Amino acid sequence: MKKKPIIIIVSLLVLAGIVYAFVGGYGSQTEMLPETEEVEKVNPVGPAFNADSAYAFTQAQCDFGPRSMNSVGHDRCAEWIVNRFKAYGCKVEIQRADLTGYDGTVLKSQNIMASYRPELTTRILLCAHWDSRPWADNDPDSANWHKPIMAANDAASGVAVMLEIARLLNQDKKLNIGVDFVCFDAEDWGTPQWADVEDDGESWALGAQYWAQHIPGGYAPRYGILLDMVGGQGARFFQEQMSKQYAPDIVKKVWRAARSAGYGSFFPKTDGGAVTDDHIPVNDFAKIPTIDIIPYYPDCRQSSFGPTWHTLADDMQHIDKNTLKAVGQTVIQVLFME
Ligand SMILES: [Zn+2]
């Protein structure tokens, strides 16, 4: 995924707001407070998310090496993901397609779709990409810019959280709505920073673009939640701007669930950046209101996605079980409050 240029416009609007407030346009701070303050009880529902298990699922994907498009690690990892979801009682389908990368490379794409209780009509979509970036083009050392990343966080962590949820739902058997876990391929072959080609944003999320234009007729989950980079150290999940535009009610629902699950500190009720990610085509083409849980590091100089984003440091040493737990338990809370 990458940042959307819209962030500049947003920043300008925020700046204008600050200037407006500074010249006395807004009410005083003390007048504003009671409106924004909410007293909410922590009341966890559903099974306890096991962060050790999610961590092991993250490690297992990394053990295949980089999972970039058309690589051996990629295909072996696909098989492993399919077998895991099947072991947890899901009905699994693979959607294969030949997609074209920004550089003309034919990408052998496999979107993996696993369904918990496929017979139920009320459904929620959870999704994450599973391919890894072939180039560490944001690495501080330019000698690494053409090397593949291990992608423990981006995005083994998202698939790991989904697998742990599938494992728990199968064990618990109490959730009476259907859940579809979609692992998107070909997200991270987007135009590298070192390329001579201009990045118009279209070269990202290719698997999700394909999926969203080829979903079975009549498939209409209530909403979707995309998980991207949900295991990083020091991650905080600000409210992503495109999610707020497409599905403001779902943003509210998920951030409220985080607070009632006891993980509100990981989910500040504050705007983050605007991001080009798999949720864009799912909203645009499939018309499923879908939000993105993605970290935002306002003070990180390396990237607002965090210090390891598209660098060789995106490895297991920078995965934090506390982050996996906060996100996993929040998604469980959302499902069981439905
Ligand atoms: Zn990425």
Side-chain angles (χ1 to χ4, degrees):
M1 76 307 311
K2 63 175 288 240
K3 273 185 294 185
K4 260 189 176 299
I6 195 167
I7 197 164
I8 297 157
I9 299 160
V10 171
S11 307
L12 284 174
L13 286 174
V14 170
L15 188 68
I18 291 166
V19 171
Y20 185 59
F22 187 71
V23 297
Y26 291 157
S28 74
Q29 285 264 315
T30 40
E31 277 167 20
M32 304 266 304
L33 264 179
E35 272 182 72
T36 52
E37 219 172 340
E38 280 175 51
V39 183
E40 283 163 329
K41 271 226 281 271
V42 172
N43 180 27
V45 291
F49 184 87
N50 186 330
D52 291 328
S53 176
Y55 186 88
F57 289 143
T58 311
Q59 175 78 64
Q61 292 170 75
C62 291
D63 287 346
F64 293 107
R67 285 87 61 214
S68 42
M69 301 307 297
N70 303 344
S71 71
V72 177
H74 177 269
D75 294 356
R76 289 181 57 215
C77 187
E79 230 177 279
W80 178 83
I81 293 172
V82 166
N83 288 334
R84 280 296 92 210
F85 277 116
K86 280 185 180 166
Y88 303 138
C90 290
K91 181 182 162 234
V92 182
E93 279 174 48
I94 302 172
Q95 181 190 51
R96 293 175 201 273
D98 285 353
L99 307 176
T100 308
Y102 83 95
D103 54 352
T105 304
V106 175
L107 308 171
K108 297 285 182 186
S109 171
Q110 301 182 44
N111 291 325
I112 300 166
M113 302 173 287
S115 297
Y116 164 80
R117 301 201 55 188
E119 75 282 6
L120 298 177
T121 47
T122 301
R123 311 198 64 78
I124 308 295
L125 165 70
L126 300 180
C127 46
H129 80 87
W130 72 273
D131 65 309
S132 68
R133 184 142 180 87
W135 317 288
D137 58 330
N138 201 52
D139 200 276
D141 182 352
S142 60
N144 296 328
W145 286 356
H146 292 258
K147 295 178 187 166
I149 66 171
M150 189 47 81
N153 195 29
D154 180 12
S157 65
V159 173
V161 166
M162 294 205 297
L163 278 171
E164 175 56 9
I165 292 171
R167 189 185 73 81
L168 290 168
L169 295 185
N170 185 51
Q171 191 179 67
D172 183 76
K173 301 213 186 331
K174 291 202 182 82
L175 188 70
N176 285 318
I177 52 171
V179 180
D180 301 299
F181 303 93
V182 178
C183 307
F184 292 125
D185 205 354
E187 194 280 332
D188 239 344
W189 194 275
T191 312
Q193 296 178 34
W194 42 255
D196 292 332
V197 196
E198 208 206 322
D199 182 2
D200 60 1
E202 290 299 309
S203 60
W204 304 82
L206 297 179
Q209 288 188 42
Y210 185 84
W211 183 84
Q213 293 174 84
H214 297 86
I215 52 170
Y219 178 61
R222 283 192 177 167
Y223 54 87
I225 301 174
L226 172 64
L227 306 171
D228 199 356
M229 304 192 282
V230 291
Q233 289 169 345
R236 291 292 175 274
F237 302 93
F238 290 59
Q239 298 180 339
E240 190 269 328
Q241 296 282 316
M242 301 309 294
S243 304
K244 278 182 84 173
Q245 272 187 37
Y246 283 116
D249 293 347
I250 311 307
V251 171
K252 272 189 207 137
K253 182 198 284 274
V254 172
W255 265 250
R256 206 181 298 132
R259 294 193 293 277
S260 62
Y263 293 95
S265 63
F266 284 82
F267 287 79
K269 275 195 285 183
T270 315
D271 287 351
V275 176
T276 299
D277 207 346
D278 293 322
H279 64 319
I280 304 292
V282 177
N283 277 290
D284 279 346
F285 300 128
K287 307 289 179 202
I288 301 165
T290 300
I291 66 143
D292 196 1
I293 298 182
I294 188 163
Y296 181 64
Y297 292 71
D299 304 319
C300 180
R301 283 178 60 201
Q302 187 67 22
S303 165
S304 60
F305 292 127
T308 69
W309 178 72
H310 293 180
T311 75
L312 291 193
D314 185 358
D315 54 20
M316 286 309 290
Q317 274 150 28
H318 296 92
I319 294 292
D320 187 341
K321 287 181 187 173
N322 295 306
T323 308
L324 293 169
K325 171 76 179 173
V327 173
Q329 200 65 61
T330 293
V331 177
I332 294 268
Q333 186 84 5
V334 172
L335 295 176
F336 281 80
M337 280 171 74
E338 200 60 39

